[in-house]
């Protein structure tokens, strides 16, 4: 594409400076308090550490709020990319401090695009204010949910209500006591065309029949907000809670996941940068076999590979963001699949190397590396597993019109 320019605008550069200062002054110092609170409360407690709410006030006061949503911040996706990357340096705290945390960002985007005025007032406004949290209930244990057409949960019309029955799991955020609303995807018309069978509906968490059974750990870690298994047993919600129209669930899911996927990738690049920073610091301080680890050839290669991979991923992420800004989500869908299959793998690669040079310290919790690795390994599954995105990329490549050069060499 001609005319690509990834240089930071003056507006983005100003945000970048202010956000960097905010991270250094407030977020990094808050990490110890955050983890001490979580350790004291134990893994079954999903209340947010108070320091996060304190950071939210500070961020809002500094205008570092809702940066992810162009309608609120005025930032393009390309302008937001380096800011989201910064938050990835402290992914458990920084995104929420700015009200830019998943899954709420995707849910706010969905409500912004598809909710009616009453739904926006009741749910979007308190989410934008950071007063409540939300969850997105799509994935199911009984089917391969990477293909949303497989979803079996039923949402059947009964007069002026819908009745929901089914089982969902890995519903991020539902364990947090601040979570007040679920966006649930289910089948409203099994006889319709494949992409018109599913719909989405707003379900308050306290609706009778909503049974949050457990929060699932990620590689043994319980996240503060939880990843829940939820049973819906004859859950009745008013028909006016439906998002958009019946049969639009698949289209809403695609619209929701586009920006959400790329935001995850931006943050993953930040996590990789933190891992590389820790790796470089470690190898300059540790001595083995008579010289600093930094002088070992294999260590230098690990550092160089990490820098190459991070910079390549960032450029691809910027290209995807730039394309979304200029041509929309649909035009960027292959690029989004590319970065979604690249960024988590790059983060895992860099984190793995950082863990290796930290030795035993790398697999404990004195450093954030093991926890970051667990999250980014899981990221290769959520928002579509690598294989689904690779399938999208390959299909695009196989269907690509051949250039004159390609025609010349394939006669």
């Amino acid at each position: 594409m001609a005319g690509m320019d990834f240089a930071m605008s003056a507006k983005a550069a100003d945000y970048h400076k202010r956000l960097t200062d905010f991270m250094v002054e407030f977020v990094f110092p808050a990490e110890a308090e955050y983890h001490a609170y979580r350790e004291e409360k134990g893994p079954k407690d999903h209340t947010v550490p108070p320091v996060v709410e304190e950071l939210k006030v500070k961020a809002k006061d500094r205008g570092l709020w809702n940066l992810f949503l162009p309608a609120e911040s005025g930032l393009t996706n390309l302008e937001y990319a380096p800011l989201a990357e910064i938050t990835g340096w402290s992914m458990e705290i920084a995104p929420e401090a700015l009200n830019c945390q998943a899954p709420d960002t995707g849910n706010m985007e969905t409500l912004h695009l598809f909710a009616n005025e009453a739904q926006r007032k009741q749910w979007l406004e308190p989410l934008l204010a950071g007063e409540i949290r939300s969850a997105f209930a799509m994935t199911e244990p009984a089917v391969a949910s990477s293909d949303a057409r497989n979803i079996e949960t039923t949402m059947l019309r009964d007069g002026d209500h819908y009745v929901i029955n089914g089982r969902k799991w890995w519903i991020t955020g539902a364990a947090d006591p601040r979570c007040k609303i679920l966006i649930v995807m289910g089948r409203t018309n099994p006889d319709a065309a494949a992409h018109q069978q599913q719909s989405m509906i707003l379900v308050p968490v306290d609706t009778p029949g909503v049974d949050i059974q457990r929060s699932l750990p990620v590689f043994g870690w319980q996240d503060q907000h939880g990843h829940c298994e939820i049973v819906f047993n004859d859950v009745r919600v008013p028909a006016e809670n439906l998002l958009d129209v019946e049969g639009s669930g698949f289209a809403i899911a695609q619209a929701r996941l586009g920006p959400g996927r790329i935001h995850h990738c931006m943050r993953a690049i930040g996590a990789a940068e933190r891992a590389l920073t820790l790796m470089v610091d470690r190898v300059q301080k540790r001595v083995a076999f008579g010289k600093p680890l930094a002088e070992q050839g294999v260590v230098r290669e690990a550092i160089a590979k990490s820098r190459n991979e991070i910079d390549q991923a960032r450029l691809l992420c910027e290209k995807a963001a730039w394309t979304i800004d200029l041509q929309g989500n649909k035009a960027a869908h292959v690029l989004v699949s590319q970065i979604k299959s690249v960024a988590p793998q790059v983060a895992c690669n860099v984190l793995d190397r950082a863990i290796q040079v930290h030795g035993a310290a790398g697999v404990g919790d004195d450093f954030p590396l093991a926890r970051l690795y667990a999250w980014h390994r899981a990221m290769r599954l959520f928002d579509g597993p690598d294989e689904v995105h690779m399938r999208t990329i390959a299909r695009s490549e196989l269907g690509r019109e051949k250039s004159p050069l390609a025609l010349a060499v394939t006669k």
Side-chain angles (χ1 to χ4, degrees), residues 78-90:
L78 183 58
E79 288 174 321
Y80 178 58
L83 308 179
E85 178 180 324
I86 290 174
T87 68
W89 281 68
S90 186

Side-chain angles (χ1 to χ4, degrees), residues 85 269 273 307 310-318:
E85 178 180 324
I269 293 167
E273 283 284 10
R307 172 49 61 207
I310 290 171
D311 287 359
Q312 289 166 349
R314 181 182 292 109
L315 285 168
L316 184 56
C317 192
E318 290 171 337

Side-chain angles (χ1 to χ4, degrees), residues 315-355:
L315 285 168
L316 184 56
C317 192
E318 290 171 337
K319 183 179 180 182
W322 180 86
T323 303
I324 290 174
D325 290 335
L326 265 66
Q327 300 178 30
N329 289 337
K330 188 173 182 181
H333 81 281
V334 175
L335 282 162
V336 171
S337 281
Q338 285 183 265
I339 191 56
K340 179 57 178 65
S341 58
V342 167
Q345 183 63 72
V346 166
C348 285
N349 291 348
V350 179
L351 283 159
D352 186 69
R353 295 177 193 129
I355 289 169

Side-chain angles (χ1 to χ4, degrees), residues 67-80:
L67 303 181
F68 74 97
L69 191 60
E72 290 288 318
S73 66
L75 294 166
T76 65
N77 283 284
L78 183 58
E79 288 174 321
Y80 178 58

